[in-house]
Every structure is written in C-alpha cells, then in structure tokens.
Amino acid sequence: MKLGFLASHGGSNMQAILDGCNDGSIQATPAILICNNRNAQAVERARQAVMSTCILNGKTHPLPVDLDQAILDALQRAGVDLIVLAGFMKKIGPKTMAAFRNRIVNIHPSLLPKYGGQGMYGLRVHKAVLASGESETGATVHLIATAYDDGPVLQQATVPVHPDDTPETLQVRVLAQEHQLYPDTLAKIARGEIELP
Ligand code: GRF
C-alpha cells in the first residue's frame, strides 16, 4: 500500500506514520508529500525521510480546477493507493475526491461528530471543548466523504479533560494521542483489519 500525504504545517502526524512505516509496524510505503506551503516543517520532515515532495498551491496553479488536476497527477504518478491527510488546510478538489473515493483518510482532534465542521481546527476545537465543560475529548480518524470532517469514523481514542486545562495543554495531550491513533489505524488498514468500503 503506497501512502500519499497532504499536509500544510508541522507534519507531526505524518512523522508518526513515517516512523511506523520505517519500523515495520505499518506495512505501507510512504510515496509522496504534497504540501501547499514550501516553508512547512512537513517539507523538512519529508526531506529527512527521503520522500519526494511536491509544492502545489494557488501560486503554482491559480485556477482551482488546474490545482486539483495537478494534485491528482502527482498522486497517480507516485502510484498512491491511499491519501493520508495530515493537517491539510485546503479542501480536496472534485477530481481527486472522485479518483480516490473511500481512499482518503483524515485525523481530527475531537470525538467527531462533536466539534467538527467548517472553522473547527487547531485551538478553536479545544476552546470549544473547554467552553462546553466536557469531561473528555479525543481524536478521530475517518474517511473523507464530501464535506469538512464528514465521513465514516474508522477509529477514535478518548483523552480526559483536566479541570486546569487550557486549550494549549489540551491540544498537547490530544496530539500525543493522535500520534498513537493514526499509525495504529493505518497499520490496521494495511493488515486488512479495518476494511475500507
Ligand atoms: C492535528 O491536530 C490534526 O488532528 C489536524 O491538524 C493537526 C495537524 O498537526 N487535522 P500536525 O501537522 O500533524 O503536527
């Protein structure tokens, strides 16, 4: 199974998955990183891992239809079987969505369907969890259907909310859980223990 990563920023989830591929716990081959931001730490991580990288964005392709096609071409040239969204801040275009139907996974830092949807990203998610007085939160790996954070849940993991948590401390604890959950989910997909439709 060849993985194609789409990331915009830090890429710490991508790193956890690269580590799992390296140590054999995920039976998959990292094939390419597509990134919209050439200064992202994810690009440096891909370089260290000797994985090819493509910078594709509104500057390289001003028309959304062309950008969508360029992303699809890069994924197909690299022989990608599964798209792994790892902090990708852009919407996937319709051509790529259609070509990779049920083959796009994402991670979100909450127990979806709670605290998902448009505008729910980064610290905003954890602020909303604290504002609602939740006693637990977590992370969700899911398939991408058509909308933001929408699609069948593959796996979830819970994280306790502490009385003295700030959005920042909660984010750190949830991210640590994401680094377990995402590689574990991909390992199960690769072994056929989680079947994609
Ligand atoms: C994570 O919190 C993930 O749930 C969300 O974006 C963040 C990416 O972090 N989709 P990183 O780039 O993997 O460090």
Side-chain angles (χ1 to χ4, degrees):
M1 182 173 75
K2 285 194 176 183
L3 306 180
F5 296 94
L6 269 70
S8 297
H9 297 297
S12 69
N13 277 290
M14 180 187 80
Q15 186 68 61
I17 295 162
L18 291 175
D19 293 346
C21 293
N22 262 336
D23 70 19
S25 55
I26 304 173
Q27 287 159 26
T29 307
I32 190 169
L33 165 67
I34 294 173
C35 189
N36 57 303
N37 167 13
R38 68 175 61 253
N39 298 315
Q41 195 187 349
V43 173
E44 176 58 21
R45 292 181 192 273
R47 199 185 63 77
Q48 298 268 349
V50 199
M51 175 168 61
S52 67
T53 303
C54 246
I55 306 295
L56 297 172
N57 54 36
K59 276 191 184 156
T60 63
H61 296 82
L63 290 181
V65 63
D66 293 341
L67 180 57
D68 185 13
Q69 187 66 54
I71 289 174
L72 179 56
D73 289 346
L75 291 165
Q76 289 183 331
R77 265 199 312 272
V80 167
D81 303 299
L82 184 70
I83 298 178
V84 178
L85 301 183
F88 189 58
M89 301 304 289
K90 304 285 176 186
K91 269 196 106 172
I92 307 292
K95 287 183 186 173
T96 305
M97 283 290 302
F100 283 88
R101 193 167 134 72
N102 292 322
R103 294 294 177 277
I104 308 176
V105 292
N106 183 43
I107 190 159
H108 185 78
S110 74
L111 295 172
L112 290 176
K114 286 177 158 187
Y115 308 105
Q118 197 165 6
M120 273 293 174
Y121 59 85
L123 283 175
R124 293 182 188 200
V125 176
H126 307 295
K127 277 182 187 155
V129 167
L130 291 177
S132 300
E134 300 277 5
S135 60
E136 68 172 19
T137 182
T140 303
V141 178
H142 64 102
L143 282 178
I144 288 284
T146 50
Y148 293 94
D149 304 328
D150 180 12
V153 169
L154 300 176
Q155 285 210 116
Q156 290 185 310
T158 58
V159 171
V161 176
H162 297 163
D164 58 350
D165 263 328
T166 63
E168 289 79 7
T169 60
L170 199 51
Q171 184 178 49
V172 168
R173 198 161 340 104
V174 171
L175 190 61
Q177 183 60 258
E178 291 179 44
H179 296 161
Q180 306 294 318
L181 182 70
Y182 216 176
D184 181 65
T185 307
L186 289 168
K188 286 177 178 160
I189 292 171
R191 286 199 298 269
E193 285 171 28
I194 293 178
E195 283 186 37
L196 302 182

